[in-house]
Amino acid sequence: MLVELNINLQMEEEDDSKNERIKKAEQKVKAQKYEPTWNEVWVTGYKTHTGSIKKGIFQTKLTDKDKERLIEVKDAMDNGELGTHVENLKKFTKTHALRMHKELMLSRRDATIEKLVREIPDNYLLINNRFSFDNLIADLWKEDEIAVDTETTGLNYFGTYMNDLDKIVGISITLPKADYHVYIPINHTSGLQLPEQFVLDGLKPILESTDILKIMFNAKFDIHMFIRHGIHVGGFHFDGLVGMKLLNENETSYALKNLSTKYGKFFGFEDKSQTYEELFGKGGFQDAEFERDGKRWIGTLYPCKDTHLTYEFYKKFVSVHFERLPKIKRLYYEIEKPILEVCVDMEQNGFLLDRDFATDYAGELQKEIEELKLDLEYHFGNININSNQQLQTVLYDEMGLPDISKKRKVDAKTLKKLANKSEGVSVLLKYRDLNKLLTTYIEPLPLKVAPDTSRLHGTFNQVDTATGRFASKSPNLQNLPYKARKMIVAPEGKVIIGLDFSQIEPRVLSHMSNDTTMIDAYVHGRDLYIELAMSVFNLERKYCEDGAYSPCGTYQPRKRIKAVLLGIMYGMGAFTLSQSINSTTEEAENLIQDFFKTYPDIKDFIDETHLEAEEQEFVETMFGRKRRFPQHRQLAKQYKEVEQKVKEWLGYVPSNIWREELPYKLKQAFWNVAGNYNVVNRKSVNTKIQGTSADIMKKAMIRVQKLCKKYGYKMLATVHDEVLLEVPEDITEEQIAELEEAMTGVINLKVPMKTDTEFMYRWGMGIDKNAWFAGKRPEKVIQM
């Protein structure tokens, strides 16, 4: 009886378990079949059949532009203008919705174009006959300032061996006094147009006149394009792109359309229409229709609107803020406006490349790289040396090298630390360096030489960095390896000279911190780094001379203190500095503290700069360039609250919070705010020192450029604190002294400025001015 009862109970339990499984399976099937509601897809989200939560589209991370597009899509679907194009709403994702936006824009395009054409303002005029052109010229001579823009086939105004030279297809101009805006087509593929040369000849006196001021947006491009067509713009007055970057270096986009959409409401110019590219796709403007059936069309609207916007943005927004911020206004007109014209000259001048050398050198490099590949095969076997995964397997699994990164990294920084443990790693590093040299510089740069000038024309960006330092590309001169520099040469009868500010940033720091010891060293011409090393390390001079080692023989005091000073100026923490000087983090931290104890004025300057950033949420260079740190005041408050709690536990603030005996939540809270807080601290100090140095460099270049025009020299480039010129071989000592004075006399600091001058036939292989004027000459030909 008992056995039968147990069997019955067991059967009931099995039935219950079976029923539970069936129930769960039915629920899973039901969940799989569940179709979310429209509101769940977009707003609230829903639970999937796996139990996870699928966020609503508007709950996901979105850019402002994507959010705007998604709202358009949802509204279009809500009003029946657009279908969902999915069989089940579970398949309706953010990605799908954004794809549907493109379809929506295409479906609306004809209606949009029709509306745009219908609403073209009456004062947007097409100039494509001689009568209207003559009237335009007469009106232009009555203007004090005009806005100018070009439409082109592309962006290449120099041309290279790989790309054709682009040209102007039309010119738009805004006439503020006459209150109208024009577009003059000259090279469109269809439509009635005036002859190109007729238009250019007619506009040339006006565009070159210094009496009529020119307002532009991204002025360098248009200035270069006009030069390409024989017109040298005179009276350049304002570039809205540069002006806006001075007003706010944190904008997400500096496109005129986006800036006007964001700020147009402040000057009555709200424009929510699509861009020309959004309507018709990217490409040159030459195929745009400017007239259809005798009426102005899209190809007239957009160019007229560009100069209209350019002028309104200048007059009613940027200039208004310049009046409110006189330091920024002075910075623009005294530094950034004239340096833009210097940039145009440098880019027009370009570099002469020794293409025969490049060809021969490429052959030598290819041969050496092939030999290194054989060597690598000996060390690592037959693997793809460019595959990180295969390298990880060989280095860490087969060879058993220590994983010092804890992430099995095979980047250069990690491999350098492993080089002393494996000869193969050293070979790999050399292979990578030579391969990059060959494929990034030696082979491609000669292909970028312009056929009509036989020179390499790079691009210099004066406002691409927050501190105001120059950036360059094609080539990036800051990253150009020493061996690649040798391709750049002086033409026959010329020599390249480099005018290099000596220790400009430490000199600026001396001045701004008012540190009497540093000032005294510079005033009396003593070696600053020797002075610093003697004071901080408490060593005799003989141990601190250049190249000398400490009494224990483990480090070079002068070299180490230079790294410490640069680290302090660049806002390095103890960990980063320790990697720079090859020490422990604790040693680096002690070095920083010893430096501050020895030079308290510098510590005070840094602390005051940090406080300035917290209170104002910005810092300024000596010339008024601002770097803004939005919401930093609140972040600083949070940091100091957590910092105080850490001090209550430990009595100090550690360099590595995770090594300390603290509650985990306190460690995490400190970690969450300390990183961003310290980033702003570093940027604020760096901005004041590096930004001021950059402003001084720009002012010096403006002065040097005036001498270049006087004597017929060519300014080629600026790299960090150096400017490169192409000058005649017979340049005199007096002329060199004049150039140097243009550099050093640009500003009066509490310390003297100093310039080092180098003479080179081939960049990177030079001699100093004393050797040059003593009759010595650097080699014109080098051995590879």
Side-chain angles (χ1 to χ4, degrees):
M1 187 71 177
L2 184 58
V3 172
E4 187 178 339
L5 179 61
N6 286 338
I7 290 172
N8 289 336
L9 287 173
Q10 186 176 350
M11 290 177 66
E12 287 176 6
E13 287 175 359
E14 289 176 354
D15 288 343
D16 289 343
S17 177
K18 183 179 180 181
N19 289 336
E20 185 64 27
R21 288 197 303 274
I22 292 171
K23 186 178 179 182
K24 285 183 178 180
E26 289 174 344
Q27 288 174 341
K28 187 172 182 180
V29 170
K30 185 178 179 181
Q32 286 176 327
K33 290 182 178 180
Y34 176 73
E35 182 168 354
T37 66
W38 192 233
N39 192 57
E40 286 174 334
V41 167
W42 284 98
V43 183
T44 64
Y46 57 95
K47 185 182 286 188
T48 69
H49 69 279
T50 63
S52 63
I53 299 298
K54 174 73 173 177
K55 287 183 178 180
I57 291 172
F58 288 139
Q59 291 177 317
T60 61
K61 190 174 181 180
L62 300 171
T63 64
D64 291 342
K65 192 69 176 176
D66 279 350
K67 187 174 182 180
E68 184 182 317
R69 287 168 175 164
L70 290 167
I71 289 172
E72 277 191 272
V73 169
K74 185 175 184 301
D75 289 345
M77 291 178 175
D78 286 343
N79 63 33
E81 183 184 356
L82 190 66
T84 62
H85 291 223
V86 291
E87 57 193 35
N88 187 304
L89 285 181
K90 283 192 292 186
K91 296 182 179 180
F92 195 94
T93 62
K94 177 174 71 176
T95 303
H96 176 72
L98 289 171
R99 281 198 300 267
M100 294 307 299
H101 182 266
K102 293 180 181 178
E103 183 174 321
L104 177 64
M105 292 302 99
L106 284 173
S107 68
R108 287 178 174 177
R109 189 174 77 170
D110 290 343
T112 299
I113 291 171
E114 184 182 339
K115 184 174 184 294
L116 285 172
V117 170
R118 188 171 61 247
E119 296 177 355
I120 292 178
D122 292 337
N123 64 350
Y124 282 19
L125 308 181
L126 172 64
I127 306 296
N128 65 343
N129 62 69
R130 297 201 174 203
F131 176 76
S132 60
F133 186 76
D134 289 342
N135 287 337
L136 169 66
I137 296 298
D139 285 344
L140 281 169
W141 281 117
K142 299 173 187 175
E143 297 288 339
D144 300 317
E145 56 186 17
I146 58 175
V148 183
D149 188 34
T150 62
E151 300 296 341
T152 66
T153 54
L155 305 177
N156 196 340
Y157 35 73
F158 288 118
T160 71
Y161 285 105
M162 297 183 292
N163 298 300
D164 292 331
L165 201 62
D166 285 307
K167 61 183 178 180
I168 295 174
V169 300
I171 300 165
S172 54
I173 305 174
T174 283
L175 294 78
K177 279 186 179 179
D179 190 27
Y180 67 85
H181 320 269
V182 303
Y183 181 60
I184 315 163
I186 57 174
N187 273 310
H188 282 251
T189 52
S190 62
L192 177 64
Q193 303 163 74
L194 289 168
E196 174 187 340
Q197 203 55 50
F198 172 79
V199 170
L200 295 176
D201 288 344
L203 290 176
K204 183 180 174 75
I206 293 163
L207 292 174
E208 293 188 343
S209 169
T210 56
D211 294 327
I212 302 174
L213 302 182
K214 313 306 185 300
I215 316 302
M216 298 175 165
F217 196 91
N218 191 17
K220 268 203 314 173
F221 176 81
D222 297 303
I223 291 172
H224 279 306
M225 270 296 175
F226 280 124
I227 293 173
R228 148 101 173 82
H229 289 75
I231 295 173
H232 294 265
V233 174
F236 164 67
H237 182 65
F238 195 78
D239 183 349
L241 176 63
V242 174
M244 194 60 210
K245 285 199 173 184
L246 296 185
L247 286 176
N248 185 8
E249 73 283 4
N250 297 316
E251 288 289 344
T252 54
S253 169
Y254 289 94
L256 177 61
K257 171 70 169 65
N258 295 336
L259 289 172
S260 300
T261 299
K262 184 174 180 179
Y263 296 111
K265 57 188 175 185
F266 296 112
F267 53 88
F269 203 113
E270 289 195 71
D271 178 25
K272 296 182 179 179
S273 65
Q274 294 168 262
T275 64
Y276 182 86
E277 287 75 17
E278 286 171 334
L279 284 174
F280 298 100
K282 291 186 178 180
F285 201 68
Q286 65 272 16
D287 296 324
E289 286 187 79
F290 50 81
E291 189 175 40
R292 180 179 285 187
D293 300 327
K295 296 180 181 179
R296 295 165 300 158
W297 213 64
I298 292 295
T300 295
L301 168 65
Y302 277 95
C304 286
K305 186 169 68 173
D306 280 346
T307 52
H308 190 182
L309 267 175
T310 295
Y311 188 77
E312 293 290 296
F313 197 68
Y314 151 71
K315 199 72 174 180
K316 298 180 180 177
F317 185 77
V318 180
S319 291
V320 170
H321 286 286
F322 272 15
E323 294 305 317
R324 184 177 63 84
L325 301 165
K327 289 181 183 178
I328 297 291
K329 180 180 179 180
R330 188 165 57 248
L331 175 68
Y332 174 81
Y333 285 108
E334 292 183 3
I335 297 180
E336 295 301 345
K337 173 183 172 288
I339 206 67
L340 184 148
E341 296 177 278
V342 173
C343 285
V344 170
D345 283 347
M346 287 195 298
E347 292 171 2
Q348 284 287 327
N349 290 334
F351 304 98
L352 181 64
L353 243 62
D354 185 343
R355 282 178 281 171
D356 290 336
F357 164 77
T359 300
D360 293 342
Y361 193 25
E364 291 289 326
L365 286 173
Q366 286 166 346
K367 183 178 178 182
E368 193 170 353
I369 288 168
E370 289 304 315
E371 291 172 356
L372 288 171
K373 282 182 179 178
L374 293 175
D375 208 356
L376 287 171
E377 188 173 344
Y378 168 77
H379 287 286
F380 299 137
N382 188 20
I383 67 168
N384 178 1
I385 207 66
N386 298 312
S387 165
N388 287 347
Q389 188 174 1
Q390 291 185 38
L391 267 179
Q392 289 166 347
T393 301
V394 171
L395 295 176
Y396 298 121
D397 298 334
E398 297 177 12
M399 297 176 64
L401 295 179
D403 182 12
I404 54 178
S405 69
K406 308 300 181 187
K407 295 179 181 179
R408 294 171 65 86
K409 289 184 177 180
V410 290
D411 60 305
K413 187 177 178 181
T414 303
L415 293 181
K416 284 177 183 177
K417 295 178 181 179
L418 297 173
N420 62 347
K421 301 181 184 298
S422 166
E423 183 184 345
V425 173
S426 297
V427 175
L428 176 59
L429 286 168
K430 186 176 181 181
Y431 163 79
R432 284 184 174 179
D433 285 344
L434 293 185
N435 196 52
K436 181 178 180 181
L437 176 64
L438 176 67
T439 59
T440 307
Y441 302 105
I442 305 301
E443 286 182 332
L445 288 186
L447 298 177
K448 295 181 180 179
V449 167
D452 56 337
T453 66
S454 296
R455 286 188 171 236
L456 174 67
H457 299 272
T459 300
F460 297 91
N461 194 322
Q462 68 199 75
V463 284
D464 205 40
T465 64
T467 60
R469 292 198 86 171
F470 271 103
S472 62
K473 63 180 182 180
S474 298
N476 181 344
L477 297 175
Q478 279 76 8
N479 291 344
L480 197 64
Y482 170 76
K483 292 180 178 179
R485 289 183 173 189
K486 297 176 186 178
M487 288 190 294
I488 294 171
V489 295
E492 193 64 35
K494 306 286 186 180
V495 64
I496 296 172
I497 63 169
L499 299 165
D500 190 3
F501 269 130
S502 173
Q503 299 179 14
I504 185 173
E505 290 177 7
R507 290 173 197 269
V508 167
L509 174 61
S510 304
H511 174 86
M512 297 184 84
S513 67
N514 200 29
D515 185 273
T516 54
T517 307
M518 292 179 70
I519 291 172
D520 188 69
Y522 278 127
V523 167
H524 292 94
R526 300 194 300 272
D527 188 306
L528 175 69
Y529 297 123
I530 291 177
E531 301 270 321
L532 297 177
M534 289 171 62
S535 299
V536 174
F537 299 127
N538 195 26
L539 292 171
E540 295 177 46
R541 174 175 289 273
K542 65 180 181 180
Y543 295 114
C544 302
E545 300 282 354
D546 192 13
Y549 278 83
S550 61
C552 58
T554 55
Y555 67 93
Q556 296 179 36
R558 186 184 183 280
K559 185 177 180 180
R560 176 166 284 198
I561 204 65
K562 182 177 180 181
V564 172
L565 179 61
L566 293 175
I568 287 169
M569 289 194 296
Y570 296 150
M572 286 184 193
F575 174 74
T576 307
L577 178 60
S578 69
Q579 293 185 311
S580 175
I581 63 175
N582 196 25
S583 74
T584 65
T585 304
E586 289 73 21
E587 286 175 324
E589 180 64 37
N590 289 336
L591 260 177
I592 293 172
Q593 296 310 317
D594 288 345
F595 186 94
F596 284 147
K597 286 175 186 175
T598 310
Y599 297 96
D601 288 334
I602 294 178
K603 179 69 165 68
D604 290 344
F605 164 73
I606 290 173
D607 289 343
E608 287 165 10
T609 301
H610 293 170
L611 186 60
E612 195 178 314
E614 291 174 20
E615 293 178 347
Q616 300 180 161
E617 295 190 336
F618 70 86
V619 296
E620 291 179 320
T621 68
M622 282 175 58
F623 298 91
R625 186 184 305 277
K626 280 189 176 183
R627 190 168 189 180
R628 301 153 183 88
F629 307 108
Q631 285 83 52
H632 183 57
R633 189 182 297 115
Q634 181 61 31
L635 175 66
K637 181 181 176 183
Q638 294 171 358
Y639 171 79
K640 290 184 175 180
E641 288 173 356
V642 180
E643 180 190 49
Q644 183 58 38
K645 291 178 182 177
V646 171
K647 284 182 179 178
E648 289 171 3
W649 274 84
L650 301 175
Y652 60 92
V653 180
S655 58
N656 188 335
I657 195 74
W658 298 108
R659 294 180 182 174
E660 305 295 332
E661 292 293 330
L662 288 170
Y664 178 79
K665 285 187 176 180
L666 180 55
K667 288 183 181 181
Q668 191 65 52
F670 183 84
W671 178 260
N672 288 342
V673 295
N676 290 333
Y677 175 76
N678 288 324
V679 164
V680 173
N681 282 347
R682 289 194 290 273
K683 287 180 177 179
S684 63
V685 174
N686 186 39
T687 296
K688 279 202 164 187
I689 300 169
Q690 190 181 94
T692 296
S693 302
D695 291 340
I696 292 171
M697 185 66 193
K698 286 178 177 178
K699 286 175 72 70
M701 288 172 64
I702 293 164
R703 284 165 57 102
V704 169
Q705 178 66 353
K706 289 178 180 177
L707 291 176
C708 287
K709 288 185 179 296
K710 175 182 175 182
Y711 291 119
Y713 306 156
K714 285 185 176 181
M715 186 178 290
L716 303 181
T718 175
V719 187
H720 301 306
D721 306 320
E722 181 179 20
V723 60
L724 299 176
L725 309 179
E726 190 179 284
V727 303
E729 285 181 296
D730 61 0
I731 190 170
T732 66
E733 289 189 67
E734 290 74 22
Q735 288 169 326
I736 289 294
E738 200 174 353
L739 288 167
E740 289 178 334
E741 195 284 326
M743 298 274 288
T744 58
V746 74
I747 187 172
N748 291 318
L749 299 180
K750 295 165 189 171
V751 299
M753 300 295 285
K754 183 176 181 293
T755 299
D756 296 323
T757 305
E758 189 176 26
F759 286 72
M760 301 160 278
Y761 288 120
R762 192 178 293 274
W763 189 23
M765 300 189 65
I767 58 174
D768 65 38
K769 67 178 180 181
N770 293 330
W772 175 269
F773 287 114
K776 297 179 181 178
R777 293 291 183 267
E779 291 185 49
K780 290 188 178 182
V781 181
I782 65 170
Q783 300 298 318
M784 289 174 291

